[in-house]
Amino acid sequence: MTNTSMMKKSYQALVKALGRGTKGSRSLTLEESTFLITGFYDGYGTRSQLATSLMLMRVRGETTDEIAGVTLGIQSTISPEWKTIGASIDWPCYAGKRDMLPWLLLAAKVLAKEGERVLLHGDPHSLSHRLHIARYVALLGIPVVSSPKEAKSALDGAGICYLDADHLTPLVSLFRSLHQELGLRSLFQTAIRCVNPAFAPVSLRSYFHLGLDTVHAKVAKSVALFNPESKAVRVGIFKGVQGETEVNPRIATEITIVTGNSQQGFVLPTLLEGVIGITKFTSQLETEQIAELFLSVWQRGELISHNELIPDTQRVTQLAIASVLSSLSAIYLIKGRCQCPKVATQLALKAWNDRENKLIELAKNPLLEER
């Protein structure tokens, strides 16, 4: 039997392990889950075998080893040249929002001004009914890149760039087509968010459904165990707004920080208790109006402490700034820049006020009192 035949037979064994029935089936190990991806990528598995495996795992419920294995498998298909771009923050944005703009982009721009090298990446072609950051990066002058060379150049010049995940690996479009064909999500949607293509020292993870924080923490540890390059990466995990990688300022947010051999947690307090509800105002704006709103928030935005009867534009501005401050605070904690949520919020406010060398006394902001 040739090596190719043996590998094809080994791939077929994965499907059998998953589908032997109620008593005979089992979940895949981390190594087997990795081979599920690499074996298909290398031509040992077929599309139908992959789709069948994904469906069987979905029905039973994917294990953390399976998600970690798929994550490692995806990572192995990404060009090692991405490691050379020198990104300091890996910021995956795959969920999109239902009806609000991605204020996280303003936070990313602040970090770039501070000297960080921020790699944003996402898949705007999946869940296309949502508002993905790809729609808005150009409005904020964030370079769009498609190769490691372009990314390095953009990070050298602007400190920030956006990458469509289709340029990372052809597996993204494959899994997207399977999702659309079957009408069924798979563990790929979780695993792709766990991929840190440039091996940045700080990597963000967001989730929406209860319990996924624990899953992401276990996956991060497993990936670090089997990939030494990931051992020192500080992975920050939190529940994002509508699942997107942006901290919600209207609720207290638990942040879990995981490395290969440690785990710690913080609670970022509510920053905008006075403003209630999320308006759909921004989803009704034209592109030119959205650009003007982004510019207005960036140039003149200040945070107030009361939910007064103010126009929609001002309410959105308050939510926007609070979102930026909350996301910045979380990242400062994840980076290890400070060990106290109150200090993180103070650092965030200073960074926001310094974005155009505009200073506001911290002591005058009632939102930071008694935190």
Side-chain angles (χ1 to χ4, degrees):
M1 183 179 292
T2 66
N3 183 61
T4 298
S5 298
M6 290 177 62
M7 296 299 284
K8 288 184 175 181
K9 192 172 185 63
S10 295
Y11 199 90
Q12 186 183 57
L14 300 180
V15 186
K16 288 183 177 179
L18 290 165
R20 286 185 183 276
T22 305
K23 295 183 179 180
S25 64
R26 61 172 178 82
S27 59
L28 300 183
T29 65
L30 185 145
E31 293 86 351
E32 288 173 331
S33 301
T34 302
F35 181 58
L36 181 70
I37 302 302
T38 59
F40 174 82
Y41 186 77
D42 292 334
Y44 301 124
T46 67
R47 180 186 172 98
S48 61
Q49 286 175 321
L50 177 63
T52 300
S53 298
L54 293 174
M55 290 181 67
L56 288 169
M57 286 190 284
R58 183 64 173 171
V59 170
R60 185 243 306 141
E62 301 93 343
T63 67
T64 53
D65 275 349
E66 289 172 337
I67 297 172
V70 169
T71 299
L72 290 167
I74 297 169
Q75 186 83 55
S76 73
T77 69
I78 295 174
S79 169
E81 288 186 33
W82 285 103
K83 302 176 188 178
T84 68
I85 68 174
S88 63
I89 297 177
D90 170 64
W91 201 323
C93 299
Y94 288 84
K97 289 186 178 179
R98 289 193 297 270
D99 47 32
M100 291 298 293
L101 296 177
W103 306 117
L104 67 94
L105 295 178
L106 297 182
K109 284 179 67 70
V110 170
L111 289 165
K113 280 181 169 287
E114 289 189 311
E116 298 289 351
R117 296 166 67 88
V118 184
L119 175 63
L120 299 156
H121 52 100
D123 177 14
H125 316 290
S126 181
L127 302 175
S128 56
H129 61 287
R130 288 199 165 216
L131 305 180
H132 290 274
I133 65 171
R135 295 190 188 186
Y136 308 104
V137 289
L139 297 179
L140 290 165
I142 296 174
V144 178
V145 301
S146 60
S147 69
K149 183 178 180 180
E150 291 178 359
K152 187 177 186 306
S153 177
L155 293 177
D156 288 344
I160 187 173
C161 62
Y162 170 74
L163 171 71
D164 188 318
D166 275 342
H167 297 296
L168 281 175
T169 169
L171 290 177
V172 174
S173 60
L174 166 75
F175 277 91
R176 184 193 310 122
S177 65
L178 283 177
H179 182 191
Q180 294 169 348
E181 179 182 345
L182 301 173
L184 195 65
R185 284 175 58 86
S186 71
L187 78 170
F188 182 86
Q189 277 72 36
T190 300
I192 189 63
R193 303 181 191 206
C194 301
V195 172
N196 180 358
F199 287 88
V202 170
S203 187
L204 309 182
R205 305 280 189 275
S206 67
Y207 65 92
F208 181 76
H209 296 291
L210 187 66
L212 282 180
D213 54 337
T214 302
V215 170
H216 276 291
K218 290 180 178 179
V219 168
K221 288 182 178 180
S222 293
V223 168
L225 180 64
F226 281 83
N227 190 330
E229 292 178 281
S230 300
K231 191 171 184 179
V233 174
R234 294 175 65 88
V235 178
I237 304 161
F238 57 87
K239 182 176 180 178
V241 180
Q242 299 175 350
E244 189 56 288
T245 321
E246 177 181 295
V247 178
N248 188 345
R250 301 178 307 113
I251 61 173
T253 298
E254 294 184 11
I255 300 170
T256 302
I257 304 169
V258 176
T259 65
N261 52 20
S262 68
Q263 181 171 326
Q264 63 182 141
F266 296 95
V267 176
L268 203 60
T270 303
L271 188 58
L272 204 58
E273 295 173 348
V275 174
I276 59 175
I278 293 183
T279 174
K280 294 185 178 181
F281 171 73
T282 54
S283 64
Q284 302 168 0
L285 296 178
E286 300 294 333
T287 300
E288 184 176 338
Q289 294 173 306
I290 291 173
E292 291 175 353
L293 180 56
F294 270 128
L295 184 62
S296 175
V297 172
W298 180 262
Q299 291 183 339
R300 296 183 293 277
E302 296 180 17
L303 194 62
I304 61 176
S305 59
H306 304 292
N307 181 31
E308 300 171 351
L309 296 176
I310 56 179
D312 274 344
T313 51
Q314 292 184 41
R315 286 175 57 80
V316 170
T317 296
Q318 292 309 296
L319 180 60
I321 300 164
S323 297
V324 171
L325 295 178
S326 294
S327 293
L328 285 174
S329 300
I331 291 171
Y332 292 148
L333 289 168
I334 295 165
K335 280 178 59 64
R337 186 169 166 180
C338 60
Q339 295 292 314
C340 171
K342 178 180 178 179
V343 173
T345 305
Q346 291 172 336
L347 291 172
L349 184 59
K350 184 180 187 305
W352 175 249
N353 290 335
D354 285 350
R355 70 196 182 281
E356 298 290 353
N357 298 317
K358 177 183 177 184
L359 300 175
I360 299 175
E361 289 184 40
L362 298 181
K364 291 185 178 180
N365 193 315
L367 293 172
L368 298 180
E369 295 178 359
E370 303 301 328
R371 293 292 190 202

